[in-house]
């Protein structure tokens, strides 16, 4: 499939715009681990915290207080916000991603397993990972 543009989703489901190649942060991670995760790539605008493969919550760099103890656990900072399911209309995934400061929305299975992410590129024109 070619890169899917934001305005080319009529009739598609979230599954068609899901970026399945993603990295996560363990529920046992520390603040230092989360900072290192974000520092490793400028495209990392959101971190998904998981227990095994089960989605727990999300973080953005702004969620990490500058004065936080680096050895403190990151889990209390993770927030379970909006999510989508693969069978949802793609327009729902698009709208939620565009409304999020990170432009990222986790795609969750019925068993709470993290399946991927709906991610919009920086210009707001394409879904990341659809090419």
């Amino acid at each position: 499939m070619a890169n899917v543009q934001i305005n080319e989703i009529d009739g598609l489901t979230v599954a068609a715009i899901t970026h399945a190649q993603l990295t996560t942060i363990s529920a046992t991670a520390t603040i230092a681990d989360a900072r290192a995760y974000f520092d490793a790539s400028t495209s990392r605008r959101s971190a998904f915290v998981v227990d095994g493969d089960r989605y727990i919550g999300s973080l953005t760099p702004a969620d990490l207080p500058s004065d936080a103890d680096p050895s403190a656990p990151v889990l209390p900072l993770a927030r379970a916000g909006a999510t989508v399911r693969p069978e949802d209309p793609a327009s729902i995934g698009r709208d939620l991603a565009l409304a999020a400061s990170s432009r990222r929305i986790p795609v969750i299975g019925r068993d709470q397993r993290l399946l991927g992410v709906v991610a919009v590129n920086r210009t707001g024109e394409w879904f990341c990972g659809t090419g």
Side-chain angles (χ1 to χ4, degrees):
M1 172 186 282
N3 283 333
V4 178
Q5 289 187 18
I6 292 291
N7 60 356
E8 295 178 342
I9 59 171
D10 288 345
L12 297 180
T13 64
V14 164
I17 59 170
T18 296
H19 183 30
Q21 301 289 317
L22 72 152
T23 56
T24 60
I25 292 181
S26 170
T28 61
T30 64
I31 299 282
D33 295 330
R35 286 191 179 124
Y37 175 85
F38 287 118
D39 289 344
S41 172
T42 58
S43 69
R44 292 184 176 166
R45 300 175 71 190
S46 186
F48 301 119
V49 180
V50 295
D51 183 5
D53 61 0
R54 190 173 60 90
Y55 174 73
I56 302 297
S58 300
L59 293 166
T60 66
D63 294 323
L64 303 173
S66 59
D67 61 347
D69 177 355
S71 65
V74 77
L75 187 59
L77 301 176
R79 293 172 290 152
T83 63
V84 290
R85 297 200 185 279
E87 63 271 14
D88 289 340
S91 60
I92 292 174
R94 175 202 59 208
D95 294 349
L96 288 171
L98 288 172
S101 63
S102 66
R103 292 198 174 174
R104 305 311 190 238
I105 295 296
V107 179
I108 308 297
R110 295 208 181 275
D111 57 0
Q112 289 304 108
R113 191 168 52 99
L114 179 62
L115 304 174
V117 60
V118 172
V120 175
N121 74 345
R122 290 189 190 276
T123 64
E125 298 172 19
W126 302 90
F127 293 101
C128 303
T130 60

